[in-house]
């Protein structure tokens, strides 16, 4: 069998996660179930960390996968964190993350979230509009402590990715136009309620070329030089996340290539460089295990109906995102094209179309590269409890989130009181 970090198939055709066969993991924890490899996460993390060197910070994007045990694992390796809500801040704090290494992104930060982050002592607010800058300044004033800020600028480069995950174009809801940023920086620098810390950007996700990332960094560098020329000191430049991963046949650049692309244009500015990778750290380190419940034929097609649905893993339904699917154990069934669909009452509840699989009822499939934007997007639509998550470390498996119960699913609800 494969002893390399992550996932591999042995000569007998069984798929393993580290030192455990995935069919045994499915038996033990049931399906659907997310399974992560600790070694795979650590190896991706380490590649980022060593590429960036000591005068920068890798701020893991919590929204990709914010399960406490994963955050705790990364915190123990010295990670910084990129958050987009007060809830994610709370997760980072409970997982033992260092608030001084947290950057707070997102277009709609609420007053309570801002106050909490200010009190926690985060490193920087990545501010997305003039109105938000004003609100942060007001809260900082009331709290009696200046707020550390960077403006998230919109460099207007095309990341050549899916339109739903492109965020750096001029027409996007994210960021502040480069032309407007300079005046806003001057205003912030003159405001005693604010401390200008840096410049931030994030142009999109699942990028398969580093060219747009280095182009964006180049535009940030030009802005940084102008600001420094006006006497506005900068502590860091945050180049965002966005590196793509392997789902089907993509050939993404490596973390080292990502780091080189964003640091090269920033090198002689004398500022720290931050990056915010999410997907690139955890996607390939996870699979979703699902069992085939039924086979059926309709309209000349064969369907494999599995026990995972779009409620467990939304990306295929949301973005039509392609994935690699594999049987975790060898079967006698013939390999043939099937549509792999979930039990949810929506036609979008489809994981793959005409996908060659040796499908047989009871067989367990692994949906590969499901470690990012998977469990975090799970919902309870159709009153489906959310799936468990298991972290495998060598031959040990840790249940890091148990399967939701029906009681938990209905916990906040109340019947109408009788008159
Ligand atoms: C989503 C997001 C990230 C992480 O993106 P990935 O593509 O998962 O690396 C980083 N920064 C910001 C501001 C984000 O919104």
């Amino acid at each position: 069998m494969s002893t390399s970090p992550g996932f591999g198939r042995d000569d007998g055709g069984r798929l393993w996660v580290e030192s455990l066969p995935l069919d045994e993991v499915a038996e033990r924890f049931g399906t659907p179930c997310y399974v992560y490899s600790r070694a795979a996460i650590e190896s991706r993390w380490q590649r980022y960390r060593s590429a960036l060197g000591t005068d920068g910070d890798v701020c893991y994007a919590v929204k990709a996968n914010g399960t406490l045990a994963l955050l705790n694992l990364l915190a123990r390796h010295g990670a910084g964190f990129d958050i987009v809500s007060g809830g994610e801040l709370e997760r980072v704090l409970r997982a033992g993350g260092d608030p001084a290494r947290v950057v707070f992104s997102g277009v709609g930060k609420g007053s309570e979230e801002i106050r909490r982050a200010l009190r926690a002592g985060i490193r920087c607010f990545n501010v997305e509009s003039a109105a938000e800058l004003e609100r942060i300044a007001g809260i900082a004033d009331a709290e009696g402590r200046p707020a550390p800020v960077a403006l998230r600028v919109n460099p207007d480069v095309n990341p050549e990715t899916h339109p739903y995950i492109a965020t750096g174009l001029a027409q996007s809801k994210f960021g502040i136009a480069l032309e407007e940023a300079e005046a806003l920086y001057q205003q912030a620098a003159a405001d005693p309620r604010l401390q200008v810390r840096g410049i931030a950007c994030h142009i999109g996700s699942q990028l398969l070329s580093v060219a747009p990332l280095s182009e964006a960094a180049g535009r940030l560098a030009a802005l940084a030089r102008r600001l420094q020329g006006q006497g506005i000191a900068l502590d860091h430049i945050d180049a965002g996340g966005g590196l793509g991963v392997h789902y089907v046949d993509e050939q993404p650049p490596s973390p080292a290539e990502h780091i080189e692309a964003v640091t090269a244009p920033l090198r002689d500015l004398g500022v720290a460089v931050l990056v915010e990778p999410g997907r690139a750290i955890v996607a390939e380190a996870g699979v979703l295990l699902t069992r085939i419940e039924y086979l059926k034929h309709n309209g000349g097609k064969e369907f494999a109906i599995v026990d995972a649905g779009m409620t467990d893993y939304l990306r295929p339904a949301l973005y039509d995102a392609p994935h690699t699917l594999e049987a975790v154990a060898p079967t006698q069934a013939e390999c043939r094209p099937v549509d792999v669909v979930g039990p949810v009452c929506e036609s979008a509840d489809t994981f793959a179309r005409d996908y060659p699989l040796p499908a047989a009822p009871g067989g367990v499939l692994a949906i590969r590269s499901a470690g990012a934007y998977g469990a975090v997007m799970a919902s309870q639509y159709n009153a489906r409890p959310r799936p468990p998550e298991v972290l495998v470390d060598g031959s040990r498996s840790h249940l890091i989130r148990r399967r939701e119960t029906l009681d938990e699913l209905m916990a906040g609800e109340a019947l109408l009181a009788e008159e």
Side-chain angles (χ1 to χ4, degrees):
M1 57 158 266
S2 159
T3 51
S4 65
F7 300 85
R9 205 171 274 282
D10 66 16
D11 295 340
R14 269 173 127 188
L15 189 60
W16 293 63
V17 51
E18 300 200 17
S19 308
L20 286 179
L22 279 166
D23 52 351
E24 281 178 18
V25 178
E27 219 40 70
R28 169 142 184 230
F29 297 100
T31 52
C33 175
Y34 281 98
V35 183
Y36 310 120
S37 155
R38 174 176 177 164
I41 295 170
E42 288 178 327
S43 118
R44 296 290 287 188
W45 163 259
Q46 219 50 61
R47 289 173 71 188
Y48 261 105
R49 191 55 274 175
S50 56
L52 189 56
T54 48
D55 52 350
D57 216 357
V58 184
C59 298
Y60 168 70
V62 174
K63 77 172 192 279
N65 189 327
T67 306
L68 291 178
L70 296 195
L71 299 183
N72 176 248
L73 180 63
L74 292 169
R76 282 192 268 152
H77 284 283
F81 296 95
D82 169 48
I83 60 166
V84 294
S85 72
E88 288 191 350
L89 174 61
E90 195 57 34
R91 283 191 168 278
V92 168
L93 297 176
R94 290 190 193 188
D98 178 1
R101 316 210 21 217
V102 166
V103 295
F104 192 169
S105 305
V107 290
K109 303 176 192 73
S111 296
E112 200 42 51
E113 294 177 309
I114 294 168
R115 194 168 300 118
R116 177 87 177 98
L118 197 57
R119 286 185 186 167
I122 65 164
R123 176 172 190 159
C124 197
F125 290 92
N126 290 344
V127 179
E128 302 237 11
S129 66
E132 185 197 331
L133 188 69
E134 188 46 45
R135 181 169 323 173
I136 290 174
I139 293 169
D141 196 28
E143 291 289 312
R145 60 159 100 190
V149 295
L151 300 187
R152 172 169 175 184
V153 300
N154 189 332
D156 196 20
V157 299
N158 185 352
E160 284 150 25
T161 185
H162 191 289
Y164 282 14
I165 47 182
T167 57
L169 285 167
Q171 311 90 324
S172 141
K173 75 169 175 177
F174 297 100
I176 297 168
L178 262 182
E179 312 79 66
E180 289 160 33
E182 217 167 310
L184 210 49
Y185 268 109
Q186 285 161 355
Q187 184 190 317
D191 190 331
R193 303 170 298 174
L194 300 170
Q195 279 174 348
V196 172
R197 283 290 164 76
I199 309 175
C201 87
H202 172 72
I203 60 169
S205 201
Q206 186 54 12
L207 309 185
L208 294 171
S209 148
V210 295
L213 290 164
S214 76
E215 193 184 329
R219 295 187 184 185
L220 260 46
L223 173 62
R225 274 190 206 96
R226 291 200 296 277
L227 296 177
Q228 288 174 335
Q230 296 159 17
I232 299 175
L234 300 172
D235 156 77
H236 68 254
I237 290 185
D238 179 343
L243 184 66
V245 301
H246 176 89
Y247 285 107
V248 183
D249 53 9
E250 305 85 348
Q251 308 228 307
S254 66
E257 288 168 309
H258 177 193
I259 294 296
E260 174 59 24
V262 300
T263 53
L266 306 176
R267 207 151 270 153
D268 52 1
L269 292 168
V271 298
V273 176
L274 310 190
V275 286
E276 306 170 341
R279 190 190 309 271
I281 306 276
V282 290
E284 291 175 25
V287 300
L288 176 61
L289 296 181
T290 183
R291 195 178 290 277
I292 299 175
E293 297 276 16
Y294 305 103
L295 297 175
K296 80 184 253 185
H297 291 268
N298 256 357
K301 264 182 170 292
E302 187 177 8
F303 292 89
I305 300 164
V306 297
D307 62 3
M310 62 192 283
T311 52
D312 305 292
Y313 191 45
L314 185 61
R315 293 189 69 256
L318 185 61
Y319 312 120
D320 238 332
H323 278 272
T324 299
L325 278 61
E326 296 177 61
V328 302
T331 79
Q332 304 300 325
E334 177 201 356
C335 193
R336 64 211 186 271
V338 293
D339 279 20
V340 179
V341 300
V344 174
C345 301
E346 299 284 343
S347 294
D349 189 26
T350 296
F351 292 111
R353 292 189 172 85
D354 295 319
Y355 198 97
L357 278 174
V364 174
L365 304 177
I367 301 177
R368 301 291 301 268
S369 297
Y373 305 105
V376 281
M377 286 193 187
S379 77
Q380 301 153 319
Y381 183 43
N382 283 198
R384 290 170 52 80
R386 288 174 294 184
E389 295 171 81
V390 172
L391 180 70
V392 171
D393 180 7
S395 57
R396 301 191 340 148
S397 53
H398 305 272
L399 184 61
I400 59 173
R401 183 204 299 264
R402 58 180 169 70
R403 189 180 305 283
E404 193 168 37
T405 65
L406 289 173
D407 282 338
E408 287 163 344
L409 187 148
M410 291 177 246
E413 302 179 41
L415 299 179
L416 273 186
E418 277 304 331
E419 309 268 303

